[in-house]
Amino acid sequence: MNPQTLKIDGARLLQRLRDLGRFGALEGGGTNRLALSDADRAARDWTVAQMQALDMAVAVDAIGNVVATYAGTEALPPVMTGSHIDTVRTGGLYDGNYGVMAGLEVVATLRDAGLRPRRPIQVAFFTNEEGARFQPDMLGSLVLVGGLPLQQALAVPAVDNGALLGDELQRIGYAGSAPVGRPVVDSFVELHIEQGPVLEQQATAIGVVEGVQGICWMEFTFDGTSNHAGTTPMALRHDAGECAMRTAVFVAELVARYGGRQLGTVGALQIRPNLINVIPNQAVMTVDLRNTDGQRLRNAQAEVLAFARAMALRSGVQFQHRQLADFAPVAFDADLVASVERHARAQGLSTLRMPSGAGHDAQMLARVCPTAMVFVPSAGGLSHNVREHTAPEQLEQGANVLLQVLLERAGR
């Protein structure tokens, strides 16, 4: 059999995605599967069972990453694919899950055909990619490649109940023994939905991802003085809420001033005591800054931080700053990117070279091996939403591109 004629089973892939979506299912078709929750444990157990049914050797490392290996004909460094199966509270069926299930479908296709490439193929899912319960995001893959010390990661508290990550790994049975910090991987290819509108708007089948933009997450805390809203003159107020709101406006104005690929979001803002007639004594806010240009991202971070500090000083308010995430832009391997483009076009699919606007595990693996990503369209650009959707034929197209790229890499 000519490996270049192999095709994945689209119906089987779609069924896997639907079956995985049962764990933490939400009304409307989405999922709530926060990292290391009971729903995550159930989804992990089910996914591991799928891996074992494909005669893959399954290993769990010390941060809970799960890596399944389909043996090659030679003991060479493996070609890896995969993503994550944790979700945000209002997640869809495809974000992360698609990359893992498509990896298993690639292995199922090879197994059905009786084919084993020269190099092993690994399918992985990484712990806490979303960062919705433990911070930073992409924590599992970051620990895997040695970018975050294991003990520091295990001591991270959950944002929902304060439980430590290490304790939660033990609780759900995924505190593994495989080592972290120095993975031996030939290359890594991650298949993912775009999570944005570009491919759909341009009627393009495959996004050839050239890299991931840099991400900076910050948390600001302003502490002022509560007082009566009707009797305290404006000039005598120490208004924590005003500081936060003016900083939020500054972020929007900065993004407009920078232009290009600069993005900025104030995603969370909590004001206390949150009463209509009381001057706020505390405001806690988050700032999310992103850019493909590392220097401009650093400049934006410095400007926002300086403005927040100046606002606090002017208002007689105490200010604290906490860095939640700080990842530089990542450029993917040129040869592997070209391989994605070549195999997509060989299948008659239109392509677009593009950056990733979201963070992905692939950017962490890029620290240790050649890495690339494949995008398929997201209907309406929706993601982190129960209505997240990608058409079955588009899911199949992406998985077929992944199949051929992995075969080429594993055949070397």
Side-chain angles (χ1 to χ4, degrees):
M1 175 181 291
N2 181 359
Q4 293 182 348
T5 65
L6 281 180
K7 299 289 184 183
I8 65 100
D9 184 332
R12 185 168 58 187
L13 170 60
L14 188 60
Q15 190 59 53
R16 287 187 196 276
L17 286 165
R18 288 170 174 164
D19 289 345
L20 180 57
R22 292 184 290 111
F23 303 102
L26 293 172
E27 186 176 351
T31 52
N32 175 5
R33 199 161 57 236
L34 296 180
L36 311 189
S37 63
D38 289 345
D40 187 30
R41 170 172 52 190
R44 284 167 171 261
D45 290 346
W46 179 85
T47 304
V48 168
Q50 302 302 302
M51 293 167 161
Q52 293 170 334
L54 294 171
D55 299 322
M56 303 179 79
V58 179
V60 182
D61 69 23
I63 199 65
N65 298 320
V66 176
V67 180
T69 303
Y70 182 69
T73 59
E74 298 184 34
L76 293 169
V79 174
M80 181 184 283
T81 189
S83 192
H84 62 98
I85 62 172
D86 67 308
T87 75
V88 296
R89 292 186 184 277
T90 56
L93 292 182
Y94 308 104
D95 177 2
N97 307 307
Y98 172 46
V100 180
M101 295 301 104
L104 294 182
E105 178 55 34
V106 166
V107 170
T109 300
L110 296 179
R111 186 170 175 269
D112 289 347
L115 293 177
R116 288 194 183 271
R118 186 179 181 200
R119 294 173 182 272
I121 291 178
Q122 292 184 328
V123 180
F125 62 85
F126 302 103
T127 297
N128 190 62
E129 190 273 350
E130 290 290 4
R133 189 168 183 229
F134 301 94
Q135 293 172 350
D137 55 344
M138 299 166 286
L139 183 147
S141 53
L142 182 61
V143 172
L144 174 67
V145 301
L148 179 66
L150 173 63
Q151 293 307 315
Q152 183 178 335
L154 294 175
V156 171
V159 299
D160 55 354
N161 62 6
L164 299 185
L165 187 147
D167 292 343
E168 288 295 87
L169 277 176
Q170 292 283 353
R171 184 183 70 82
I172 69 169
Y174 278 88
S177 58
V180 295
R182 293 187 176 182
V184 178
V185 183
D186 171 81
S187 48
F188 179 82
V189 184
E190 183 172 1
L191 175 62
H192 210 281
I193 60 170
E194 181 196 350
Q195 301 182 274
V198 176
L199 291 176
E200 183 181 62
Q201 287 182 353
Q202 299 197 20
T204 302
I206 298 294
V208 180
V209 186
E210 296 183 292
V212 180
Q213 64 186 356
I215 301 175
C216 167
W217 285 0
M218 298 182 287
E219 179 186 79
F220 296 163
T221 300
F222 299 93
D223 285 300
T225 304
S226 287
N227 215 330
H228 197 293
T231 62
T232 310
M234 299 301 291
L236 299 180
R237 297 183 178 204
H238 305 291
D239 189 337
E242 180 187 3
C243 291
M245 289 182 281
R246 286 189 182 275
T247 301
V249 171
F250 180 82
V251 170
E253 292 173 343
L254 177 143
V255 170
R257 173 160 48 88
Y258 273 49
R261 286 180 168 161
Q262 180 65 51
L263 301 173
T265 305
V266 174
L269 174 59
Q270 297 176 327
I271 293 178
R272 297 184 179 90
N274 201 33
L275 299 171
I276 191 169
N277 61 345
V278 179
I279 299 165
N281 68 348
Q282 187 182 72
V284 181
M285 64 184 295
T286 60
V287 178
D288 178 325
L289 300 172
R290 307 188 188 213
N291 202 317
T292 55
D293 185 316
Q295 185 58 57
R296 289 181 68 79
L297 179 60
R298 287 190 292 273
N299 293 345
Q301 177 183 5
E303 280 200 48
V304 173
L305 187 54
F307 181 88
R309 283 176 172 149
M311 271 303 308
L313 182 63
R314 192 182 84 179
S315 302
V317 167
Q318 297 298 311
F319 174 74
Q320 296 181 61
H321 154 247
R322 189 160 66 103
Q323 196 74 37
L324 303 179
D326 192 4
F327 299 125
V330 173
F332 289 148
D333 181 77
D335 290 340
L336 198 49
V337 169
S339 174
V340 171
E341 187 172 58
R342 183 172 65 255
H343 285 293
R345 290 179 176 177
Q347 296 177 38
L349 302 172
S350 55
T351 63
L352 174 67
R353 289 197 173 214
M354 62 190 302
S356 171
H360 296 287
D361 293 307
Q363 74 191 79
M364 301 307 168
L365 271 294
R367 300 183 182 202
V368 298
C369 67
T371 302
M373 291 191 72
V374 185
F375 276 174
V376 294
S378 295
L382 285 179
S383 185
H384 289 185
N385 186 307
V386 297
R387 292 184 291 127
E388 175 183 271
H389 181 71
T390 296
E393 61 270 21
Q394 294 171 327
L395 297 171
E396 186 172 348
Q397 288 169 351
N400 278 322
V401 172
L402 178 69
L403 168 64
Q404 292 304 323
V405 173
L406 293 181
L407 275 173
E408 179 181 82
R409 295 297 297 184
R412 291 166 30 261

